[in-house]
Amino acid sequence: MLPGEFLNVICTNFAVGALDNISVNTLCARSNEGFVVLLINAGLMTLLNKISRLYVAQRISNSVEYCNRSPGSEVTAAVARHWSLEVCKHYRNTGKPLGPQIHLIASAEPYRSGQLHGWETFVFCHELGHIVAGHLNTREYWSSDASLGMVETFKEDESREMETEAGILGYVMAREYWAKQSSTGESAAAGELDDRFVFGNMTTLFDLLFLLGAGESKSHPNPLDRVCTVAAFVCGDALAETVARS
Ligand SMILES: [Zn+2]
């Protein structure tokens, strides 16, 4: 997907891993020696995981095997929707990914893991988009931060242009990743990539970001505009207009 020379730079200078920290965030940090680490806090993964279970419970009836609040059979689509909004509201108020504990029946698990993996891929590819676009090479976008054993953190919230660029590159890379999965037969629709799957995953992620309180800011367009920008770039203005109307 990426030129070999560039991949070499990525493999020798960058590392990625989950940080056991409940706050919901991702960031790039740089060490004194110039190594860059892409950190994804466990809190974000916990939140996405929790929401993905509640989304499946809304779409597939009788898919809840266990719930710590009420018997699985009583978790209807309406209840699951109410709880997913509750999780988002709680996060908006406290910054903590807390809510009901749910286990799904085995046959519903592929839907949950597919959705979750899709979201995680977009989060990861967005950050990778900043790297590929060369944003990390700009001195002014780094601020000194001695936490985490690193010396600097990347100021992702500096400009809308950067966010738009990382969003589009992130989509293209996520799509490439899924196409590769299809061609190696590891996805459900082996050999064929359905663009609706990729676009749908991105749309639900941005929809979720909106529910989690991500609004328009100096650096970030609102989540709907972010989806529309990617839609216009990859599929043309007609799709962007359809998404905006929806
Ligand atoms: Zn970004």
Side-chain angles (χ1 to χ4, degrees), residues 5 23 42 57 89 101 119 137 154-155 157 174 189-190 203 216 232:
E5 205 176 308
S23 76
K89 187 177 176 193
Q101 291 171 9
W119 288 346
N137 300 331
F154 177 60
K155 294 189 284 184
D157 51 358
T203 308
E216 188 165 331

Side-chain angles (χ1 to χ4, degrees), residues 59-117:
R59 288 203 304 267
I60 305 173
S61 52
N62 301 314
S63 57
V64 176
E65 185 172 68
Y66 164 83
C67 174
N68 65 339
R69 290 191 181 177
S70 50
S73 58
E74 290 176 15
V75 184
T76 61
V79 169
R81 172 157 175 79
H82 179 75
W83 285 347
S84 64
L85 292 174
E86 176 201 304
V87 171
C88 293
K89 187 177 176 193
H90 190 269
Y91 169 75
R92 288 199 303 274
N93 292 336
T94 67
K96 301 276 190 299
L98 298 174
Q101 291 171 9
I102 282 183
H103 290 183
L104 299 170
I105 56 173
S107 60
E109 269 299 315
Y111 296 97
R112 182 199 68 82
S113 58
Q115 167 104 84
L116 181 61
H117 190 41

Side-chain angles (χ1 to χ4, degrees), residues 28-30 130 133-144 152-163 165 218-219:
C28 291
R30 188 152 61 187
H130 281 298
H135 298 158
L136 273 58
N137 300 331
T138 307
R139 182 66 241 155
E140 66 190 89
Y141 294 147
W142 289 90
S143 63
S144 47
E152 293 177 305
T153 53
F154 177 60
K155 294 189 284 184
E156 195 165 322
D157 51 358
E158 283 298 287
S159 86
R160 282 188 173 211
E161 288 71 29
M162 269 196 333
E163 278 316 294
E165 216 166 20
K218 182 173 116 270
S219 59

Side-chain angles (χ1 to χ4, degrees), residues 2-10:
L2 296 169
E5 205 176 308
F6 191 83
L7 269 183
N8 207 18
V9 173
I10 295 265

